[in-house]
Amino acid sequence: MTLKQKNGMLKLIFFFSSIVLFSISSGCSSSKMYRKHNYHNGVVYYNNFLKISGRFFGDINFYTIGEKEIHTKFLKNNHSIKKNIILYGRAKDPKYEVIITYRENKKIKKSTDTLLLNDIKDQKVIYKKSTKGKEIKLYISAIGSHKSNLTMLRDGDKIIKSFKFNSNIEDQVQLIDIFNTYRYENNFLYLLNKLDQAPINTKQRNQWLNFQLYTTILSNDTSNKRYQELIKKYDSKRTQNLKKITEDVLATISNHPNKKGVLPQIKNVSKHKKVVMLNENHWSPNHRIFAHSLLPILKENGFNYLAIEAVNKDQDSILNERGIPAKSTGYYTREPYFGIFIRKALALGYHIVGYDDDVSNNREKAQAENLIKIIDKDPDAKIFVYAGIDHILEYNPVKKMMAGYFKELSGINPLTIDQVEIIANTNADTILLESKYFNQSELINSGVDYFLINTIKPNLKKVYKENTVFLFSSEEKTLKTYKNEDVLVSVFLEKEYLKLKNNSIPIKNKILSVKDNTIELELPEGNYRLKIMDGNNKVILSKEINHHRSK
């Protein structure tokens, strides 16, 4: 093979490989390159460039961190470890740090599986596994003080024995496992790249699952071309299927015009209701924008609780006390418009409750019972319930849903508004339709009171006063080295960022394809934290910006 052919093959390998799981500055360029091909699905570790794999315990978390953040006992003045690290993690119970190093050496002739060190005093152990020309070392050191090295020895023995050279597990990998492993990374561009470049057999990529995962991730930046193409494809198919019936219904409605508008209608029909339920697609920020618009009118009608399925149940009390959402609040709530929705609710005085129960044998019933507990505790409660997709169905022929259980168990008839089911091309941002118009359609489950057609185009002017949102522009020299690459630009409220740091939720995200050093974003007036990260999870820039009109 010629040198040119070898270079071409390497480029292909790089292109289809996984990206960085662990980035650490090192004098050894080869170990840096190896780390770019790491991935972990929660238990199995695999490097698809080195073709090595191993199994870890579920309580070991692997980190994308820098060398200065590693405090392990092994790295003190030990250059050979530093230059060969390919993986670093920490176990929770008992607490210990894990390092994997890899090196190639033609002098290695034998296959070995050996305990090299059991240091009881410093509480650290080292294992080695080798085959012809290749060697892996496993370093484990206690965090804090342990009674003995017994657990580290036992865990280390199992881990090192599980490692295989010349391994190929691509047919065993599932996209959902990779998503679940990296979903809580602050940098969703990094997560996106992990999914794109994971060594998964193309035939195993389920198209519907692909759609849900990618649109959920990309919904953090609805201006992204890839997101828009995915949504357009999904919406056009659904729109076409419903075209005849929606056109007939809209024609009927147009013959009997209602001049009140959607929000006044909902304010009117919710006036004497104790519970209003609205749903969302988890990849549709426009649904959160509409939910945001309902908050003031429901507040005027006496609603004082906001029950959000997406808020982690153990985080709601913290959220109410802190007064601002955080990334730990929930997964879907990390999306900027969801964060804005929650901030607005807290500002208006709503008490937020997380009511989901995904560990129960009957999740729907458990959700309903958790909502009823609010009323049992506070008989004066009026609850705005914000749920996912089908949970608000009062009637469902296949399976009883949360709203059905709630109605049955509480004796309270909720007002249910579905903004997921009907997709249509309309000139208006929102149209409210009584479900009775769709009773005869086999394509539509009409087990709700109303359907809302929501064609809102996400924009900060929809949730802030329009005259306060204007262009922010900045020249950032640090982008010079990222020309033609994608970077993630995130804008945080500076007050929140100072308090929560990496636990903050941005008000805006944008995947920027770098053409020059310019960043342009539509932002409301205010003080913000501008943060830019690359696809390998490296922070390029973090600085405070003051965005105010010139006087």
Side-chain angles (χ1 to χ4, degrees):
M1 183 181 289
T2 67
L3 180 62
K4 187 175 181 180
Q5 288 172 322
K6 286 182 180 178
N7 287 339
M9 184 172 289
L10 276 174
K11 285 180 181 178
L12 283 173
I13 291 171
F14 281 129
F15 182 75
F16 288 109
S17 66
S18 292
I19 65 170
V20 175
L21 169 69
F22 167 57
S23 176
I24 177 173
S25 53
S26 159
C28 181
S29 60
S30 60
S31 60
K32 283 183 180 180
M33 184 268 286
Y34 296 153
R35 290 192 292 268
K36 292 182 180 180
H37 303 270
N38 283 343
Y39 88 88
H40 195 277
N41 73 350
V43 176
V44 177
Y45 162 73
Y46 181 58
N47 186 299
N48 67 314
F49 182 83
L50 297 174
K51 297 295 182 185
I52 59 173
S53 66
R55 295 184 70 85
F56 289 87
F57 297 95
D59 72 331
I60 298 179
N61 292 323
F62 293 92
Y63 294 93
T64 308
I65 57 180
E67 183 179 312
K68 292 179 181 178
E69 294 168 276
I70 299 178
H71 305 294
T72 179
K73 301 164 186 175
F74 289 112
L75 287 187
K76 279 188 178 180
N77 302 317
N78 197 325
H79 184 67
S80 64
I81 295 178
K82 288 182 181 181
K83 73 178 183 179
N84 291 319
I85 289 178
I86 60 171
L87 194 65
Y88 173 81
R90 295 175 190 157
K92 294 179 182 177
D93 188 20
K95 292 182 177 180
Y96 57 74
E97 294 181 303
V98 176
I99 289 174
I100 297 289
T101 64
Y102 173 87
R103 74 183 182 106
E104 294 180 357
N105 188 334
K106 291 180 180 178
K107 293 180 180 179
I108 301 172
K109 303 294 183 183
K110 294 182 180 180
S111 295
T112 60
D113 192 338
T114 314
L115 172 64
L116 295 180
L117 175 73
N118 177 21
D119 185 335
I120 297 173
K121 182 182 177 182
D122 281 347
Q123 294 195 304
K124 56 188 182 182
V125 298
I126 304 174
Y127 284 89
K128 180 179 79 171
K129 188 164 193 168
S130 62
T131 190
K132 188 177 180 180
K134 300 175 181 179
E135 176 187 273
I136 291 170
K137 283 186 180 177
L138 167 65
Y139 299 80
I140 303 179
S141 60
I143 298 174
S145 179
H146 294 187
K147 290 181 179 179
S148 73
N149 284 5
L150 187 61
T151 302
M152 294 192 299
L153 286 167
R154 184 180 64 238
D155 289 0
D157 182 64
K158 289 182 180 179
I159 292 168
I160 201 69
K161 284 180 178 176
S162 75
F163 263 82
K164 295 178 182 178
F165 297 94
N166 302 317
S167 175
N168 189 343
I169 62 170
E170 293 184 12
D171 288 339
Q172 301 173 35
V173 179
Q174 298 293 323
L175 200 69
I176 188 64
D177 293 331
I178 297 171
F179 174 80
N180 286 332
T181 300
Y182 301 107
R183 65 189 294 193
Y184 291 108
E185 287 286 347
N186 288 326
N187 182 353
F188 72 87
L189 177 60
Y190 171 61
L191 167 59
L192 189 66
N193 287 343
K194 292 300 292 182
L195 292 181
D196 280 345
Q197 300 173 21
I200 295 177
N201 188 319
T202 308
K203 293 179 181 177
Q204 290 190 359
R205 288 184 177 258
N206 179 288
Q207 292 305 307
W208 175 236
L209 178 62
N210 275 8
F211 171 82
Q212 293 180 80
L213 296 185
Y214 278 102
T215 51
T216 298
I217 297 166
L218 287 164
S219 67
N220 283 279
D221 173 17
T222 58
S223 69
N224 181 265
K225 184 178 178 183
R226 190 173 177 187
Y227 172 80
Q228 292 178 348
E229 287 174 348
L230 285 167
I231 293 297
K232 184 178 179 181
K233 186 176 180 181
Y234 172 79
D235 283 358
S236 60
K237 187 175 181 180
R238 182 71 175 158
T239 301
Q240 190 60 37
N241 290 338
L242 300 178
K243 186 176 181 181
K244 180 65 171 68
I245 185 168
T246 52
E247 284 181 349
D248 289 346
V249 170
L250 290 172
T252 302
I253 297 299
S254 66
N255 293 330
H256 304 281
N258 189 324
K259 297 180 181 178
K260 287 184 177 180
V262 170
L263 294 179
Q265 287 182 72
I266 292 176
K267 185 176 182 181
N268 183 52
V269 295
S270 65
K271 191 174 295 182
H272 301 295
K273 287 288 185 179
K274 196 168 182 64
V275 176
V276 171
M277 296 184 178
L278 178 72
N279 64 354
E280 72 157 19
N281 267 329
H282 297 312
W283 56 81
S284 300
N286 59 312
H287 291 166
R288 292 150 193 174
I289 291 172
F290 179 72
H292 178 277
S293 71
L294 282 187
L295 290 170
I297 66 166
L298 292 180
K299 189 68 179 176
E300 289 175 19
N301 279 350
F303 283 78
N304 50 0
Y305 287 85
L306 174 60
I308 304 178
E309 178 190 307
V311 168
N312 293 334
K313 202 164 188 298
D314 59 344
Q315 287 290 318
D316 49 8
S317 58
I318 298 171
L319 174 62
N320 287 300
E321 183 179 345
R322 186 175 52 221
I324 53 175
K327 285 184 175 170
S328 54
T329 299
Y331 178 70
Y332 298 116
T333 56
R334 294 173 162 219
E335 185 273 315
Y337 287 101
F338 214 138
I340 291 168
F341 169 53
I342 291 173
R343 289 186 193 94
K344 180 71 171 179
L346 290 167
L348 288 171
Y350 281 90
H351 185 82
I352 295 178
V353 179
Y355 67 92
D356 196 12
D357 187 343
D358 56 5
V359 297
S360 172
N361 291 330
N362 188 335
R363 183 184 176 197
E364 304 297 329
K365 186 177 181 182
Q367 284 187 349
E369 289 172 340
N370 286 335
L371 291 172
I372 292 169
K373 286 177 185 176
I374 300 172
I375 298 169
D376 289 343
K377 189 176 179 180
D378 180 4
D380 294 326
K382 295 189 75 172
I383 311 169
F384 176 17
V385 180
Y386 192 59
I389 311 180
D390 287 341
H391 295 295
I392 68 161
L393 291 173
E394 297 178 52
Y395 171 74
N396 184 31
V398 179
K399 175 187 176 183
K400 186 180 288 187
M401 306 305 289
M402 175 272 289
Y405 277 111
F406 178 83
K407 190 174 181 178
E408 177 187 280
L409 297 173
S410 69
I412 297 169
N413 183 16
L415 174 67
T416 48
I417 304 169
D418 187 321
Q419 59 175 339
V420 171
E421 187 77 2
I422 308 296
I423 300 174
N425 294 321
T426 66
N427 292 326
D429 278 356
T430 55
I431 297 176
L432 190 67
L433 303 168
E434 291 182 70
S435 63
K436 66 182 182 181
Y437 292 110
F438 301 92
N439 285 342
Q440 304 307 312
S441 173
E442 295 180 359
L443 296 174
I444 296 171
N445 188 329
S446 56
V448 292
D449 295 313
Y450 289 89
F451 289 112
L452 181 87
I453 300 175
N454 182 338
T455 59
I456 295 170
K457 298 292 186 290
N459 186 299
L460 287 175
K461 291 178 181 178
K462 299 287 185 182
V463 289
Y464 287 91
K465 291 180 179 178
E466 189 170 344
N467 61 357
T468 68
V469 179
F470 57 99
L471 186 67
F472 166 79
S473 181
S474 178
E475 292 283 331
E476 303 298 341
K477 293 179 181 179
T478 53
L479 292 177
K480 188 180 293 185
T481 57
Y482 288 89
K483 191 169 183 180
N484 298 322
E485 291 185 36
D486 283 348
V487 297
L488 174 62
V489 180
S490 297
V491 180
F492 303 85
L493 296 169
E494 178 68 1
K495 276 188 178 180
E496 291 187 6
Y497 190 83
L498 290 174
K499 185 176 182 179
L500 301 175
K501 301 297 184 187
N502 288 335
N503 199 23
S504 309
I505 296 176
I507 67 159
K508 191 175 185 69
N509 285 314
K510 186 171 181 61
I511 297 175
L512 178 68
S513 182
V514 180
K515 301 302 178 189
D516 51 34
N517 300 339
T518 306
I519 294 174
E520 291 188 342
L521 303 166
E522 288 275 336
L523 294 174
E525 284 191 285
N527 297 335
Y528 301 103
R529 169 67 48 164
L530 177 68
K531 196 168 184 179
I532 307 175
M533 301 183 77
D534 68 12
N536 292 332
N537 229 3
K538 178 184 176 182
V539 177
I540 302 169
L541 174 73
S542 178
K543 72 174 188 179
E544 182 181 358
I545 58 172
N546 298 302
H547 183 48
H548 298 282
R549 290 188 190 275
S550 304
K551 291 185 178 179

